[in-house]
Amino acid sequence: TNTFLTVGWTAMIGSLTGYSASGVGIGEKVWWAASPDLADIYGEPWMFVLRNVLEHTVTIDQALDLISGSNRTCAIHVGVGSASDNEFRGLEIAAKAFNVYNSTSPSMGWEGHPIIPGVLYWDKGVQPSKNACLGDLINMHYGNITAEILALQVSPIAKTGDFHTVAFDY
C-alpha cells in the first residue's frame, strides 16, 4: 500500500482530491450533464474508489483498472495521473458509465472548447455561455502556466472550483 494525502472535509475518510507517495494523483468534479439513468445509489461510494486508487496503484493502467472494476455509483468527472509513466486521463464515471479521455480526445463532447495538446481540463460550463471558457484562459498562458497563474489569473475568472481547484503536471 502507498501512503497518500487527501483533500476533503473534516472527518471525511474518502478522497475528493489526493496524491500518493507512488506519484498517483486524482481529483473529482461533478458531471452536470450526465443522464440520471447512469447513476445508482447502491455500490461503493466514489470517494472510497478515489481513495483506493491512491492507496493501491502506481501506474495509470492500474488506476484505470481499479476504477473500471469498482461498483461505481454517482456520475462524476475524474482526473487521474501517474508520475511513473507520466500519463494523465480524464474519466466520466457512473454506475453505468466508464469513459476515458486524454488531452486530444475529440469525443469529450466539449463543443465550443478548444482542444489543447498536452492539457486535459473539465470546464465549468457549456460554451458559448456567460461563463469564461477555461480552455481559452489556459490558452492565454499556454507554455507559461504556473501554480500562481492558475490560482490568480485562471481559476478566479473561470469561477471553477467551488471547494478547491486542482492542477496536476504529468
Side-chain angles (χ1 to χ4, degrees):
T1 63
N2 304 314
T3 56
F4 56 91
L5 164 90
T6 65
V7 177
W9 296 280
T10 303
M12 186 176 83
I13 58 174
S15 180
L16 183 62
T17 296
Y19 194 81
S20 74
S22 70
V24 171
I26 199 160
E28 172 274 346
K29 181 187 180 312
V30 66
W31 182 9
W32 288 115
S35 167
D37 296 339
L38 295 177
D40 195 334
I41 60 171
Y42 300 103
E44 185 176 1
W46 63 263
M47 290 182 172
F48 292 1
V49 174
L50 272 55
R51 182 183 185 275
N52 285 341
V53 168
L54 296 171
E55 187 174 5
H56 299 291
T57 68
V58 174
T59 68
I60 195 74
D61 287 339
Q62 290 172 344
L64 295 174
D65 287 347
L66 189 149
I67 297 168
S68 174
S70 67
N71 188 10
R72 299 176 307 277
T73 55
C74 298
I76 59 172
H77 288 118
V78 174
V80 61
S82 165
S84 69
D85 42 24
N86 198 33
E87 294 287 333
F88 190 82
R89 298 290 181 270
L91 313 174
E92 294 172 331
I93 67 169
K96 299 173 189 157
F98 183 77
N99 305 312
V100 181
Y101 305 100
N102 63 31
S103 66
T104 59
S105 296
S107 60
M108 284 180 61
W110 285 108
E111 190 173 320
H113 297 286
I115 293 176
I116 306 169
V119 177
L120 192 145
Y121 64 95
W122 299 113
D123 200 303
K124 178 180 180 176
V126 177
Q127 297 298 340
S129 76
K130 62 182 169 90
N131 299 310
C133 177
L134 180 57
D136 290 342
L137 294 169
I138 292 169
N139 265 334
M140 286 173 49
H141 302 284
Y142 189 72
N144 298 305
I145 296 174
T146 64
E148 183 177 8
I149 285 173
L150 288 173
L152 300 177
Q153 298 180 29
V154 174
S155 189
I157 295 168
K159 295 185 179 9
T160 187
D162 295 344
F163 177 64
H164 70 272
T165 300
V166 63
F168 296 104
D169 184 9
Y170 290 102

